[in-house]
Amino acid sequence: MKAVQKLEHGVGYLGCVEVEEPRITPGSVKIKVEYCGICGSDLHIVGGFETPTSPLPIPFTMGHEYSGTIAEIGEGVTQFKVGDRVTGIVTKGFCGKCRSCLMGDIGRCQDAINIGYECDGAMAEYICMPEGATFKLPDNVSLEEGALVEPAAVAAHAVLENVDIKPTDTVVVMGAGPIGLLVLQFIKACGAKTILADISSANARLELGKKLGADYTFENDKCNVIQEVRALTFGKGADFVFECTGVDIVITQSIMMTKRAGTIVELALTSAEGSNIKAYIVAVMQNMRIQFSYGHNLGTWQKTLQMMADGRINTKDLVTHKFKFEDFDEAFECNDANKIKVLLHP
């Protein structure tokens, strides 16, 4: 079968190669992949990033944002049948018995491994996943939309599970990429006033942000966004700022526009070189809370799928480009100004 693999350590070394199909095991399902999204973390990996404690298992198949149909059922599987349309959480190998697993936080299980960077992922024609890590797509959620359930769950975890947003709050989203636009929608579902900011070259994303419910949008390179936020909040600053870029200057801006004792939620990964942000001293002196948010829990997926089925979260309009696996280089290098979410497919 075809698979998009990281073939060597370092920058680049991506290829579309022929590999053996995975074999079904008891308790698992074999999924024919229909779509797999390119995540920001995939771009980091192609850029040469890997942690010293967990080197990449070269060679391996990329990808963790996927949708597909059940092609084969393993022994003991009872919740699915061949032909079911599904998506799945990124974690496999979890024991299901430890405290973390019993609380739904399977990513913290010592046995857990994550597809697409700790083991083979979903940029392939087939992937095998545990029954417990697989979710049926609602009838009114397409396979294209289904490939965005994972990033939507990341946004849901940040907004619905890590903080407590009230309708009286003013919330800023810094960065109008896929995660930022999804975060925006979950914030609007909480009833808060929402401000979205990005640079002017992302104007198409800002316009989509308005469609998705942003009360105000700002081009960050054409105005003083800190002053704009403080003006809209009578000088006090935002109650919450969700930082979705990982860019040092934007992190600094996020701190400077947050109210005293306000909360900054950091979702993005910085560059491999790390950050040097002097504004953190302001966060300390102003008694701000910086809430880091990573991944999601099993329960997050149920919330996300329900809100997508109810039409409260729109992922369809985020898909702007689709490429075949063999055109992976064009997909990863796509620099279209209107790009939001890129999907690969067999």
Side-chain angles (χ1 to χ4, degrees):
M1 68 173 184
K2 290 181 293 186
V4 178
Q5 290 201 328
K6 174 78 170 170
L7 301 171
E8 298 285 348
H9 297 283
V11 179
Y13 299 112
L14 209 61
C16 183
V17 297
E18 287 289 328
V19 298
E20 290 187 8
E21 286 188 18
R23 296 181 180 179
I24 195 102
T25 56
S28 67
V29 294
K30 186 173 182 178
I31 300 165
K32 182 180 184 299
V33 175
E34 297 292 340
Y35 293 101
C36 185
I38 297 178
C39 175
S41 61
D42 296 324
L43 297 176
H44 278 286
I45 291 170
V46 175
F49 176 78
E50 52 187 301
T51 64
T53 56
S54 182
L56 298 173
I58 299 295
F60 70 97
T61 301
M62 300 274 290
H64 59 271
E65 303 177 356
Y66 70 93
S67 65
T69 56
I70 300 289
E72 190 177 345
I73 300 294
E75 180 184 348
V77 171
T78 60
Q79 302 300 313
F80 299 96
K81 64 181 186 300
V82 172
D84 281 346
R85 301 160 59 255
V86 296
T87 183
I89 205 161
V90 303
T91 308
K92 64 192 302 186
F94 53 91
C95 70
K97 300 176 182 178
C98 67
R99 179 177 176 83
S100 294
C101 285
L102 292 174
M103 294 177 67
D105 192 4
I106 59 176
R108 296 186 189 276
C109 175
Q110 289 188 344
D111 296 332
I113 54 174
N114 293 302
I115 65 170
Y117 53 98
E118 292 179 326
C119 65
D120 286 333
M123 287 186 187
E125 293 183 73
Y126 294 93
I127 186 171
C128 289
M129 291 295 290
E131 179 181 26
T134 307
F135 294 83
K136 289 181 183 178
L137 289 175
D139 291 340
N140 61 340
V141 174
S142 70
L143 286 163
E144 283 188 22
E145 294 169 292
L148 275 78
V149 176
E150 195 278 337
V154 168
H157 181 59
V159 177
L160 303 181
E161 297 172 348
N162 276 322
V163 293
D164 181 19
I165 295 176
K166 297 178 175 60
T168 52
D169 289 331
T170 297
V171 185
V172 180
V173 179
M174 297 297 285
I179 294 295
L181 292 170
L182 288 162
V183 164
L184 164 70
Q185 295 181 69
F186 284 104
I187 293 167
K188 292 304 298 182
C190 295
K193 180 165 68 177
T194 308
I195 301 166
L196 177 66
D198 208 321
I199 56 177
S200 55
S201 61
N203 185 261
R205 297 182 178 201
L206 291 170
E207 287 299 317
L208 178 56
K210 292 178 183 178
K211 175 182 175 180
L212 296 175
D215 296 290
Y216 302 92
T217 60
F218 294 107
E219 295 178 341
N220 198 8
D221 53 338
K222 291 189 175 182
C223 69
N224 187 322
V225 70
I226 299 169
Q227 290 182 1
E228 296 288 355
V229 169
R230 290 198 171 272
L232 288 170
T233 56
F234 306 101
K236 69 170 186 165
D239 298 284
F240 297 89
V241 177
F242 286 77
E243 203 292 301
C244 304
T245 72
V247 177
D248 280 8
I249 190 171
V250 180
I251 299 172
T252 297
Q253 291 173 326
S254 299
I255 292 171
M256 302 308 292
M257 68 176 64
T258 302
K259 73 175 187 180
R260 291 177 182 267
T263 299
I264 299 158
V265 183
E266 179 60 65
L267 288 88
L269 300 176
T270 60
S271 67
E273 292 75 25
S275 297
N276 181 21
I277 304 167
K278 294 179 180 179
Y280 271 129
I281 193 171
V282 176
V284 174
M285 295 177 68
Q286 298 284 1
N287 199 37
M288 294 176 187
R289 178 186 180 214
I290 300 180
Q291 171 69 56
F292 294 93
S293 185
Y294 180 77
H296 31 64
N297 299 323
L298 280 174
T300 320
W301 284 67
Q302 300 289 1
K303 298 172 188 175
T304 302
L305 285 165
Q306 184 62 60
M307 293 180 74
M308 288 175 67
D310 291 344
R312 300 174 71 186
I313 300 299
N314 176 347
T315 61
K316 182 177 181 179
D317 288 345
L318 274 63
V319 177
T320 54
H321 296 74
K322 292 181 287 186
F323 297 91
K324 291 184 177 181
F325 283 161
E326 49 263 44
D327 298 323
F328 68 89
D329 50 351
E330 188 177 354
F332 273 83
E333 294 170 9
C334 179
N335 59 3
D336 187 334
N338 294 321
K339 180 187 76 174
I340 300 178
K341 195 65 183 179
V342 177
L343 301 182
L344 288 168
H345 61 92

